[in-house]
Amino acid sequence: MFAKRQSALAAAAGAPPEPRSRVAMEPVLNALKKPPVAAGAAGVFVIGAAALFVAVLGDPRAGAPTASAVLERPVAADTAPTGAEAFGFSGLDIYQDLGPIDPALMGEGGAAGGEALITLPDGASVASGQGFSAPVRAPSNPLPKAPIAGLFQPGPSGPLPRIAADGRVPAQAYARPFRSNGKPMVALVVGGLGLNSATTRAAIERLPAEVTLSFVPYAEGLQTWIDMARAHGHEVMIELPMEPTGYPDNDPGPYTLLSSGGADDVAVKLDWLLARATGYFGVTNYLGDRFATSDEGVTALMTNLRQRGLAFLDDGSMRRRPGAFARASADRVVDEEQTPAAILRQFNALEAAAKTNGAALGTGFSYPVTVEAAARWTAGLEARGLQLAPASAMTRRPGR
């Protein structure tokens, strides 16, 4: 290509001019032999040649795509990373699917009998899942194996909790022992467990023993899951499905406590729900904003729980409803928005509430992002001047 361009240049220039006489050029040649003059002349010659080249042929790069770029040296960020960035949550805002039921966990107290179609929170599923990055914790300070003698009685669907003849109650006997160190206390309940093996196992093995775990009564292998949780030191609760707004389109399952059911309906369904397993210190609500409006239904529920020595913890939606043997209401739900940054903000708010009031209770669903965030958040509580407590430590006896 360059050869053709040079030939074109020669043709356009025409025949070379006649050489001038040597005598006339001698003064010029002598001057050019001096180094400063020679260098300057060479520069002028190069510039002139380039100008002639462009003038005759045009810019050889003309017509090619061009772009201008400002070359700047990148400036290092001088802002501290957010909590979510420091925890390394960047890969968690797309939730892992949940894993299938582990066949090895299908022991006694397994299938609920038949098939229950229940509505899960947005973002939850029972499909196969991926792993978790939080480390597995070695079991420590296991809780006594359930059932404990004297704390159960036969029921139409299985053993039911009861107050022992010597006054022991499930709300205390099955709770994780706790002693305050004087620092503000925070507690966390992670619920929705038992529906899949991946997330349930992760919550049991990767969360501190002080985190309370709440199980779905329809879960297969429920007693085996509860035994595993208690062996890792976790106290546990059973979730009671309660009628929500939008029922039956929004359906927590066939044993849902209904606002229109009355005391007898509540009693029959509790006999089935509470007999699903043993070893829980209390129960909590799953949904239930419509059931909470039923004075008859709520009174029947609380009376039953009080007579059986069970605690009742709600997610904050039934705060004004007293009753049961012991009560507590959550200060906030930590994962209504299921992103690492949003969950971290809720954990920060929970810490602030604990420092203001002395104690704070949070609840969350077993989304993989919640389990992962909780595992990392709890690891730094002591350094931030707080004590992680089991949820049972937040309960209070009515009138005390």
Side-chain angles (χ1 to χ4, degrees), residues 3-144:
K4 290 182 179 179
R5 283 189 177 273
Q6 291 169 353
S7 299
L9 175 59
E18 291 290 334
R20 296 185 180 182
S21 67
R22 184 173 180 82
V23 175
M25 294 295 296
E26 281 185 0
V28 177
L29 294 176
N30 290 334
L32 290 176
K33 291 179 181 179
K34 298 179 180 180
V37 177
V44 172
F45 176 78
V46 171
I47 295 173
L52 176 63
F53 185 88
V54 172
V56 175
L57 291 181
D59 185 353
R61 298 180 60 192
T66 61
S68 298
V70 178
L71 301 180
E72 295 181 349
R73 180 174 298 174
V75 179
D78 56 0
T79 57
T82 64
E85 291 169 344
F87 284 164
F89 287 163
S90 59
L92 291 176
D93 40 5
I94 298 177
Y95 310 129
Q96 301 103 323
D97 289 330
L98 308 182
I101 299 298
D102 188 341
L105 295 168
M106 291 296 295
E108 56 180 314
E115 184 174 275
L117 181 64
I118 61 176
T119 303
L120 296 177
D122 292 340
S125 83
V126 291
S128 61
Q130 303 176 14
F132 293 78
S133 63
V136 172
R137 297 170 177 266
S140 62
N141 300 319
L143 301 182

Side-chain angles (χ1 to χ4, degrees), residues 307-364:
Q307 292 173 345
R308 297 190 179 282
L310 292 172
F312 179 70
L313 284 73
D314 68 271
D315 58 8
S317 61
M318 300 177 68
R319 184 180 302 276
R320 297 181 180 179
R321 290 289 192 173
F325 180 83
R327 281 285 280 119
S329 293
D331 296 287
R332 62 183 55 245
V333 178
V334 301
D335 55 1
E336 288 184 332
E337 182 182 348
Q338 297 116 39
T339 65
I343 293 172
L344 183 63
R345 286 194 296 270
Q346 294 299 320
F347 281 145
N348 289 339
L350 199 65
E351 291 185 23
K355 291 179 178 179
T356 299
N357 304 319
L361 171 62
T363 64

Side-chain angles (χ1 to χ4, degrees), residues 373-384:
R376 296 172 182 268
W377 168 70
T378 53
L381 285 175
E382 184 177 357
R384 296 193 294 275

